[in-house]
Structure formats: C-alpha cells, structure tokens
Amino acid sequence: ELGLYGLEATLIPVLSFEFVSLESLFEKLSHPEAYGGLVFTSPRALEAIKLCLKENSKNEAWSKSLKQRWNNKPAYVVGKATASLVEEIGLTPQGEKSGNAEKLADYICSREKPNSSILLFPCGALKREVLPTVLREKGIPLESLTVYQTAQHTDLQESLSSYFSQQGIPASVVFFSPSGVKFCLQHIQKLSGDFINHIKFAAIGPTTAEAMEAAGVPAGCTAQSPTPQDLAAGIQKALQLQNC
C-alpha cells in the first residue's frame, strides 16, 4: 500500500512473543458447554490456539466435535487480521469492523445479556483493561486467560541503529501498538537527536496514539481504521501537509 504512494517502507520487528498456559487453554477449549462464546483482541491469541492444535490428538478432538460446538457460539474479534485467523481454525468471526477494544466491547454489550454465560478471553499479559472493565460494568461475565507474554525483540536496537546509519532520518515512523512505543521510542529519540521534529509519527489506531501522546510524541496522523489502506492514505496526507 505504501509503495502505491511512492513511499518506501522498512519493517523493523519490535516485539517477540512467548506462549504460555497452552495446556490450560486447550482444557478450557475442550468445554464449550461452560462458555457463551470467545473474545479475541489479538492475532497472537489465535496463534496460541494453533500451537495447541499442532498436537494430533488435540487437532482430532477439535475437528471432530469441538469446532462445531464452538461454532454455535459467537467468536468476537477486534479487526480483520484476527478475523482471518479465526476463520483459519474453522470459526465464524463477529464484530471485525470494530477496530479497537472499546468499540468491540460496545458491540459485545449490544449482543449479550447481563449474567449470560461466561465469555472466554485468551489474551496477552499486557492487555489493556478497557474491554474487561466495560463488560464488567454491564454485568457480562468474562474469563481472561493469559496465553502469551510480550518482550522486546532481541535485534531491535541493532536494527534501528543500522537503519539510521544506512538510510538517515526517516520521513515517518509508524507505531502499531503501545508496546511498540514503549520499546522503540527512546532508541529513535537517541538516534534522531535534534532531527526528531522532522519525523512525522503515525499510529495504527487511537490506543497507540494515546500511548504516543503520553510518551511526549504527538501522532501526526492516526489511521481512520486499522487497515493498510487507511494507514497509507493517512501517512501520505500527513507527509504532503508537511511538505507544504
């Protein structure tokens, strides 16, 4: 998408993920009758399920009956990337146009009744409390299970240094998550020095934009929805304004 606007993008991995509690996750997935549905706010939660299903016996149990039984219940998702992974494991996603946890929480509240069956929420250790808080306030029961932990990518500092030494100060830096801001920003500030004001910082969505503001770097643009198309259009517009 960025290439279509004549922009050249360099992708630098910021995070690495460690999957945890996979036995516990499959144990819960083995009892669809105990839950009213599933909630996914990250592709990583689906990767955790896929790791569980690599084991033949578990894959067989999933294919034979569990998948069908879960398919009678909603699988709520936050965006397109997560939705396509939900489809890959054979379930039907709902709410993918939400785009962030706040809007997904509102969507779930419009579909679920207070004190209904518990929704199972496999998530990361750094999850924000927005969705659980909104559901709790509306009396919709949610069971969170941490299935992955986030850490800084081992090559991050080296990748950033080599980018700046080879390509200089970038026209724009895009962040895709609050953890991306947390792990990256200090390195970028150090490498940019006085030129940091020349960089147009962009955010994939409002949550990331808030994290940037809190860290003292305002988002020059925030994608209207978390898609490659909207992000590319937003960056192009921001850079054109800057050139004026």
Side-chain angles (χ1 to χ4, degrees), residues 150-167:
T150 308
Q152 177 175 313
H153 196 283
T154 46
D155 301 332
L156 175 62
Q157 220 166 328
E158 200 182 315
S159 302
L160 285 168
S161 300
S162 111
Y163 176 91
F164 275 80
S165 64
Q166 286 168 25
Q167 304 197 49

Side-chain angles (χ1 to χ4, degrees), residues 171-185:
S172 179
V173 171
V174 187
F175 288 117
F176 289 83
S177 68
S179 1
V181 177
K182 177 183 157 189
F183 294 136
C184 256
L185 194 54

Side-chain angles (χ1 to χ4, degrees), residues 28-216:
K28 291 175 191 301
L29 289 174
S30 301
H31 294 284
E33 71 285 352
Y35 298 98
L38 292 156
V39 178
F40 300 110
T41 57
S42 143
R44 252 72 51 195
L46 274 309
E47 284 170 30
I49 292 180
K50 284 178 141 186
L51 277 177
C52 288
L53 299 182
K54 274 191 170 166
E55 232 175 274
N56 283 343
S57 58
K58 288 174 178 165
N59 200 346
E60 205 175 311
W62 179 259
S63 304
K64 276 190 172 166
S65 73
L66 294 176
K67 179 170 68 177
Q68 188 50 48
R69 287 163 67 199
W70 278 111
N71 245 332
N72 296 327
K73 302 163 189 285
Y76 296 111
V77 302
V78 80
K80 280 186 180 169
T82 309
S84 63
L85 288 170
V86 165
E87 286 168 350
E88 277 179 31
I89 61 166
L91 302 181
T92 308
Q94 290 184 26
E96 66 184 81
K97 290 203 170 93
S98 307
N100 63 44
E102 285 89 334
K103 287 181 183 162
L104 181 63
D106 292 341
Y107 178 82
I108 294 171
C109 291
S110 72
R111 317 276 298 215
E112 298 288 329
K113 293 184 175 69
N115 304 317
S116 51
S117 299
I118 300 170
L119 297 173
L120 178 61
F121 179 32
C123 56
L126 295 179
K127 76 165 188 323
R128 291 166 73 239
E129 288 305 315
V130 173
L131 187 137
T133 303
V134 172
L135 296 195
R136 190 165 54 242
E137 284 167 358
K138 300 281 186 187
I140 295 163
L142 183 76
E143 183 183 326
S144 303
L145 175 69
T146 299
V147 294
Y148 67 92
Q149 291 168 345
T150 308
Q152 177 175 313
H153 196 283
T154 46
D155 301 332
L156 175 62
Q157 220 166 328
E158 200 182 315
S159 302
L160 285 168
S161 300
S162 111
Y163 176 91
F164 275 80
S165 64
Q166 286 168 25
Q167 304 197 49
I169 305 290
S172 179
V173 171
V174 187
F175 288 117
F176 289 83
S177 68
S179 1
V181 177
K182 177 183 157 189
F183 294 136
C184 256
L185 194 54
Q186 55 188 7
H187 300 311
I188 290 169
Q189 285 166 328
K190 207 189 234 169
L191 291 161
S192 311
D194 296 339
F195 292 100
I196 191 138
N197 297 333
H198 295 204
I199 300 173
K200 194 55 89 173
F201 285 93
I204 190 67
T207 308
T208 303
E210 279 169 30
M212 288 160 69
E213 294 275 348

